[in-house]
Amino acid sequence: MILILYKMISIVHTINKSTITFDINYFKTFLTKNGKILSLDTSKTMIGTALSDDRKKVALSHVLIERTKLAEDLNKIDTIIKNNKIDAAVVGLPLNKDGSKGRQAQSIITFAGSFQKKFFLPVLMWDERFSTKGIEREMISTGLKKKDIKKHIDCASATWFLQGVLDRLNYARIE
């Protein structure tokens, strides 16, 4: 009886692996020991990417994808997934200052749905309010020129909020 119940839970968990969640606790249940997490900072024109290390401790800036058509964007992401043992993704959700979902957030949720349908990976939607502004301030304080900031801001932002997710997964008490 216990074995049957365990198998049923395992099947439901596997089916639900292809899910989009806002709950980091639920997301954590899908992570494997050695896979990496892909982070996506998506805008109308660019997708900044970052990857975790195998141990899911450190976020590393990856590549900048210039957006074209959705299918082409997803094919570029597919290459990243296949080449890097990705087992989950974090998508930055640009909420309004008051925490509500505006037009841009709805567009990103739609993108995350398309991503999830193609790759069947668990997706965590992560509040990325102020990540771009925060990282931009950091870049300015180091003396980077505006053109260099513009070139690197999307990947840096993806790295910034992925590191926040990793820190929360590894060091914060999650209840």
Side-chain angles (χ1 to χ4, degrees):
M1 179 69 158
I2 293 174
L3 183 58
I4 293 170
L5 184 58
Y6 175 76
K7 285 185 179 181
M8 288 174 54
I9 290 170
S10 179
I11 290 168
V12 169
H13 194 264
T14 302
I15 291 169
N16 288 337
K17 184 173 183 174
S18 59
T19 191
I20 297 174
T21 185
F22 297 84
D23 181 353
I24 195 166
N25 295 313
Y26 186 59
F27 178 73
K28 188 174 184 175
T29 66
F30 297 109
L31 300 179
T32 64
K33 187 174 182 178
N34 296 319
K36 296 179 183 179
I37 300 173
L38 170 65
S39 174
L40 303 169
D41 181 32
T42 307
S43 69
K44 288 180 183 177
T45 59
M46 299 288 179
I47 300 173
T49 66
L51 302 173
S52 72
D53 64 327
D54 288 339
R55 296 176 52 224
K56 296 178 183 67
K57 301 282 185 192
V58 178
L60 305 163
S61 185
H62 196 54
V63 297
L64 182 64
I65 298 170
E66 192 169 338
R67 298 216 47 193
T68 53
K69 295 180 180 178
L70 179 61
E72 292 174 26
D73 299 341
L74 293 175
N75 286 337
K76 292 173 188 173
I77 293 170
D78 187 38
T79 302
I80 296 170
I81 290 171
K82 287 178 179 172
N83 291 334
N84 292 286
K85 289 185 359 187
I86 303 298
D87 71 355
V90 175
V91 176
L93 185 62
L95 298 173
N96 293 326
K97 286 182 182 179
D98 65 1
S100 64
K101 295 177 191 142
R103 200 178 295 167
Q104 189 177 6
Q106 293 299 334
S107 174
I108 299 304
I109 291 169
T110 301
F111 172 83
S114 298
F115 172 93
Q116 195 281 319
K117 283 179 186 173
K118 179 170 176 79
F119 301 114
F120 300 104
L121 293 172
V123 176
L124 175 65
M125 301 300 297
W126 190 256
D127 180 359
E128 65 145 350
R129 279 180 286 181
F130 313 116
S131 65
T132 301
K133 287 290 181 198
I135 203 70
E136 183 177 34
R137 266 189 248 126
E138 291 293 318
M139 292 173 134
I140 289 169
S141 73
T142 63
L144 278 176
K145 296 178 182 173
K146 284 232 182 221
K147 68 177 183 168
D148 292 327
I149 291 173
K150 187 173 173 82
K151 200 183 319 179
H152 299 287
I153 193 77
D154 295 306
C155 288
S157 182
T159 306
W160 175 291
F161 65 77
L162 177 57
Q163 189 62 56
V165 169
L166 297 174
D167 290 347
R168 181 84 185 270
L169 288 169
N170 290 301
Y171 305 113
R173 183 170 172 216
I174 300 175
E175 297 182 30

